[in-house]
Amino acid sequence: MGMMKALLYRAPGRANGSIAQVPWPACGSDHVVIKVMACGICKPAESSHDRNGSVLGAYPCIPGHEFAGEVVEVGDRVRSVKVGDRVTADNSVPCGVCYYCKKGKPAYCEHFGSLGQNLPGGMAEYVLVDESRVFLIPEGIPYEHACLCELIGCCIHCVDRCGVQYGDTVAVFGAGSSGLILAQLLLRSGASEVISLDSEESKLERIAKKGAIAIKVDRNDYSLHEKEMLTRHPRGVDIVIDTTGCAELMDRSLDVLSRGGKFICYSFPTGPRRGVSLDMSKFIIRELSFLGSTFQSFSFDRALLALSNGIVDCGILVTDEYPLDRYFEALDKNLNDNTTIKVVIHPNGKTEGSAEERDRQR
């Protein structure tokens, strides 16, 4: 068996991670081997691998659950794709047999598998995927956009959870990659107004051009954006979605919700304060709802539709692109530069490449 280059964490933490040579994936009868042309850095997941370990992580681990590339090998029972096809893949691998899978709720799978978490992912030259999780990329969508279908799918699932009604006003806290995708989806959801809030003006400028109302957040004085929001909507907005993970911001966001409003927690709380303190009297008196939104499952078809129809423009997300050898430099930039939004890694370079190259390299 040949060898390939991959990002490998032998255990959680930067000291245990390196660009290493690992065995090429062995293609089974129902499998597809994909030459990875683009793999997005998911800041929460990849930073977790680099620190104390991912929530779903199993080590040793090849990270990368957002990827797209070219089919270079298919199993003898594969019929839906062929060598040379441009594809992306759903990273989620529900077990299919647990209580929730049998109820048709695979997102809650009790033995949830995830490429890049507890199964080998796309931060490698090649990745092995079951045929059932592979999707053809529509013409005209570049790899660096198609690799974001997993993230778009998570955002679509979040919009589903919101239950937006025609005429609702929606505020999205955070204009990172998830916040920008959510705002774009919501702009086409029937909402009467979508407000995007962030402390970085360069991010707000991107989504303002798409039609969202941009409001800057002063991290030293949250009352400023709250006053501006309540001036626009004295009774509050109908839906708030938090993508920041800031516990204090989550607490205070309840005060800009209208009666009967919904708060959607999309992001894991981060920073020194991990818990959210909720005044339950507000939920009782004002009949508020607090909802969580978990990982996507079975949303790739809609994600690709949103890309091909122009509902989601990934051009406003991708700010930086790096080769695999510079992965740790790319991750540090993503973590430390607030103007950076989405960083994409190119394990095989940025050219399209040929389906026969794998055999030549062997």
Side-chain angles (χ1 to χ4, degrees):
M1 179 181 291
M3 303 295 284
M4 68 173 182
K5 187 186 298 183
L7 168 66
L8 179 67
Y9 281 92
R10 291 173 176 81
R14 176 70 62 94
N16 302 305
S18 65
I19 305 300
Q21 290 291 317
V22 301
W24 237 301
C27 189
S29 292
D30 300 309
H31 292 146
V32 175
V33 178
I34 300 170
K35 178 181 180 180
V36 183
M37 300 307 299
C39 187
I41 289 180
C42 171
K43 192 157 57 170
E46 268 63 272
S47 63
S48 295
H49 287 307
D50 206 54
R51 293 170 182 164
N52 301 316
S54 170
V55 173
L56 296 174
Y59 300 89
C61 174
I62 297 175
H65 58 268
E66 306 171 356
F67 58 87
E70 179 186 351
V71 174
V72 293
E73 188 175 348
V74 298
D76 57 21
R77 289 201 292 260
V78 171
R79 298 291 181 267
S80 62
V81 295
K82 63 184 183 304
V83 171
D85 282 343
R86 299 171 68 251
V87 297
T88 184
D90 188 336
N91 69 295
S92 64
V93 187
C95 73
V97 296
C98 74
Y99 172 81
Y100 290 106
C101 283
K102 287 184 175 180
K103 287 191 71 174
K105 298 179 179 180
Y108 309 145
C109 175
E110 295 173 323
H111 312 290
F112 195 81
S114 176
L115 301 173
Q117 303 284 351
N118 48 27
L119 297 169
M123 290 295 178
E125 291 179 305
Y126 300 93
V127 63
L128 183 71
V129 184
D130 190 271
E131 178 190 12
S132 65
R133 316 309 286 160
V134 177
F135 293 80
L136 292 167
I137 301 172
E139 194 68 30
I141 298 176
Y143 287 128
E144 55 266 30
H145 293 180
C147 74
L148 302 183
C149 279
E150 190 276 339
L151 181 58
I152 297 170
C154 289
C155 292
I156 288 172
H157 178 67
C158 180
V159 173
D160 289 344
R161 294 281 287 157
C162 288
V164 180
Q165 295 185 353
Y166 186 82
D168 278 349
T169 52
V170 188
V172 181
F173 281 83
S177 52
S178 293
L180 291 177
I181 292 171
L182 280 164
Q184 291 182 81
L185 291 169
L186 290 161
L187 284 166
R188 301 286 288 272
S189 70
S192 62
E193 183 175 277
V194 177
I195 301 171
S196 179
L197 300 102
D198 200 278
S199 60
E200 179 56 54
E201 287 187 4
S202 64
K203 295 178 180 178
L204 292 174
E205 289 170 0
R206 293 170 181 261
I207 195 60
K209 291 177 182 178
K210 298 294 183 181
I213 303 300
I215 295 180
K216 186 175 181 180
V217 173
D218 185 335
R219 294 184 179 183
N220 296 313
D221 189 354
Y222 289 157
S223 69
L224 297 178
H225 74 259
E226 292 167 352
K227 180 179 179 181
E228 187 171 351
M229 290 179 71
L230 292 173
T231 298
R232 294 186 64 86
H233 300 284
R235 294 182 177 84
V237 297
D238 298 300
I239 299 171
V240 164
I241 304 173
D242 182 83
T243 72
T244 68
C246 174
E248 183 182 358
L249 200 55
M250 290 186 200
D251 287 349
R252 296 181 62 135
S253 295
L254 299 180
D255 293 329
V256 297
L257 271 175
S258 66
R259 291 177 179 270
K262 301 174 188 175
F263 180 94
I264 315 296
C265 188
Y266 177 90
S267 180
F268 291 96
T270 58
R273 180 184 158 197
R274 305 298 296 272
V276 179
S277 301
L278 301 176
D279 182 351
M280 298 312 297
S281 65
K282 295 178 182 178
F283 286 84
I284 297 167
I285 296 169
R286 294 163 55 200
E287 291 198 337
L288 303 180
S289 298
F290 189 105
L291 301 174
S293 182
T294 186
F295 312 112
Q296 73 82 35
S297 193
F298 296 100
S299 294
F300 262 59
D301 53 348
R302 291 191 290 165
L304 286 164
L305 188 63
L307 277 176
S308 59
N309 288 349
I311 292 174
V312 173
D313 174 13
C314 287
I316 69 170
L317 274 69
V318 179
T319 54
D320 301 87
E321 299 176 67
Y322 287 83
L324 183 60
D325 286 335
R326 296 171 61 194
Y327 172 81
F328 292 103
E329 176 187 346
L331 178 61
D332 287 340
K333 180 174 176 59
N334 204 182
L335 294 176
N336 300 319
D337 183 348
N338 197 42
T339 63
T340 298
I341 302 175
K342 196 67 184 180
V343 179
V344 172
I345 301 296
H346 295 283
N348 284 285
K350 201 175 174 180
T351 57
E352 295 285 326
S354 65
E356 292 76 25
E357 185 177 344
R358 176 170 178 258
D359 290 332
R360 290 202 303 270
Q361 290 181 354
R362 278 183 171 177

